[in-house]
Every structure is written in structure tokens, then in C-alpha cells.
Amino acid sequence: MSAVLVSGGAGGLGQALCRRLAEAGLTPIIGYRSDRAAAESLAEATNGLALELDLNRGESIDAAITKLKGLSTPMQGLVLCASPPPVIGPFTKISETDLSDQWRVNVAGAQHLLAGVIKGCFKPHKTGTVVAVLTSAMGGEHEPASSNMGAYVIAK
């Protein structure tokens, strides 16, 4: 059996994804920042594993990578699903702190985690898949980005 880490796995979209992974015969690793009870409950329901993972904190990412490298079930995938709640408001009213929070989790934290997973989990097994969950708020080929979500859209 293979394991797949879902950052933000205790949240709404992450929970649904973890359930689908379990239905497909994979072991979900539920990455959570603060809702340990929800992550552990989901882990029990899916035969998964709850893993503390705060993409805002390098030491949390490093501790999670260490645990992932020690798993008996090889990790075959990583889904980047974590994100702070979007700050809704005009771009000119987005604070530097709000933009920085989005950037740290969606860019710097995701890169830190991905680099560690590739080096410590994927390379030794010569396999691995990465999926980044984006949003229609970013817009598309024929539609503009959602208004009043500048920090979130920029970070994604």
C-alpha cells in the first residue's frame, strides 16, 4: 500500500480528498496545523495517519519530513492543499501581514515541504507525484481572477 500526504488534510477540501484516497486503497496522511482532534478522527475513519504540519513554521515542516522518512508505508504522493483563509477585500486594503501569511504558507512553506519530501521520500523510492490544489479564484483563460482576493490569488 502507498501513502499520500495531504497538507491541509483536516480542512474541508483536504478531508474530502483524504476520504477519496482511502476509498482508492491509499493511506492518507492528514497534515494538520491546529485541529488535531479532526485530523485524528479522520485518520481513524480512513486508516490514515494524522501528522502535525504547520507550513508557517520551518521547524514543524522539518519534524514532519523526519516522520515521513521513517514511515513503513512508502510515501508516493503529496497534495499541497493547505492555505490560510483568504482575506477578502480590495487589493489596496490588504495588509502586509495578510499577504505575508499567504506567501509563507502557499509559496515558502510549500517549497520547504516539497524539497524535503522529494529528497527524503521520493528519491529513495525513485517515485512520487505532487499535486497542487488551486482555485477558480485565480481566474482562467476566459475569466478574470476573483475580485477582493488579491493576497490569496497572488500567493497561489
Side-chain angles (χ1 to χ4, degrees), residues 5-11 18 28-33 39 49-53 82:
L5 169 62
V6 179
S7 70
C18 287
I29 303 170
I30 300 109
Y32 71 92
R33 179 180 52 86
L49 171 70
L51 178 70
E52 184 177 358
L53 176 60

Side-chain angles (χ1 to χ4, degrees), residues 10-34:
L13 183 60
Q15 277 193 23
L17 182 57
C18 287
R19 290 182 191 285
R20 293 296 302 226
L21 289 168
E23 289 169 8
L26 298 165
T27 301
I29 303 170
I30 300 109
Y32 71 92
R33 179 180 52 86
S34 59

Side-chain angles (χ1 to χ4, degrees), residues 87-136:
V87 176
I88 312 252
F91 185 76
T92 57
K93 305 260 183 190
I94 297 169
S95 74
E96 185 176 331
T97 300
D98 289 335
L99 183 57
S100 180
D101 287 345
Q102 289 290 333
W103 185 86
R104 273 194 318 275
V105 171
N106 290 306
V107 180
Q111 187 278 334
H112 186 156
L113 176 63
L114 183 55
V117 165
I118 289 171
K119 185 177 180 182
C121 302
F122 292 170
K123 275 191 175 183
H125 298 287
K126 298 187 185 331
T127 187
T129 301
V130 178
V131 176
V133 176
L134 301 176
T135 173
S136 61

Side-chain angles (χ1 to χ4, degrees), residues 1-5 21 26-29 71 73-78 122:
M1 190 179 295
S2 298
V4 176
L5 169 62
L21 289 168
L26 298 165
T27 301
I29 303 170
L71 291 177
T73 302
M75 196 172 109
Q76 299 290 318
L78 167 62
F122 292 170

